[in-house]
Amino acid sequence: MHTVIRALSPVAVLIIWQVGSALGIIPQDRLPAPSLIAEAGWEVLSNGHLLDAIAASAQRVVIGLTIGVLIGVGLGLLVGLSKYADSIVDPNMQAIRALPLFGLIPLFILWFGIGEMPKVLLVALGALFPLYLNTSAAIRQIDPKLVETARVLGFSRLTTIRDLIVPGAMPQILVGLRQALAIAWLSLIVAEQIAATSGLGYLINNARDFLRTDIIFFGLIVYAALGLITDAIVRALERYTTRYQNR
């Protein structure tokens, strides 16, 4: 029963929204009806603008997320494995983490201009810290007895890291990746306000200039859908890598 109610609840909201718009209770210029948003979506899909925008935005997320994964996981491994690295690296990382991410936009523009670089770096910086924090915390939680057993069995340092520490930390690293993906898409929304000439942000900005609220809403829905899709992919990967724990 509860499952049926949960499934029908969004449908009921859409129906109330549509009826309220049709009766004039909800102003169309502020909150377009779902049917108008769907028509706007078909418009940008049929003229090819939507696919071009998604391709541009996805490319920025992939590049930025890759940079964030490499730096975040790399520094997390270093800090988790070495107390000296923890003492040197972690205070600086925490200081950078305390900076307002979107407040760095003017500085990024001064440093890198208004091209692709500041957009990609903003995404990378947003994705970096969840991965760094989760990786370093996961490594610290590895049972020291397992590491000692590996040493007694003659495992090299590299083999211990590869076959014991990284697999043991992987579930929490993937949690960090899910958080990083969410922040990456959020960062992209803001990053694409920096004089973009392509991407979903550009599509939304262009719609704002022409007072197309319906396209703005549709663009935000696409952002949310892409975030949910990428999160579902990581969740599937998480279930696959932790399947042995459920046996």
Side-chain angles (χ1 to χ4, degrees), residues 200-222:
L200 288 168
Y202 170 73
L203 189 69
I204 290 174
N205 276 339
N206 197 44
R208 178 199 61 193
D209 295 338
F210 289 96
L211 303 179
R212 292 293 306 272
T213 314
D214 49 353
I215 294 180
I216 293 175
F217 271 92
F218 182 75
L220 294 175
I221 291 171
V222 173

Side-chain angles (χ1 to χ4, degrees), residues 1-9:
M1 184 62 180
H2 292 291
T3 303
V4 175
I5 294 175
R6 287 178 64 89
L8 293 178
S9 177

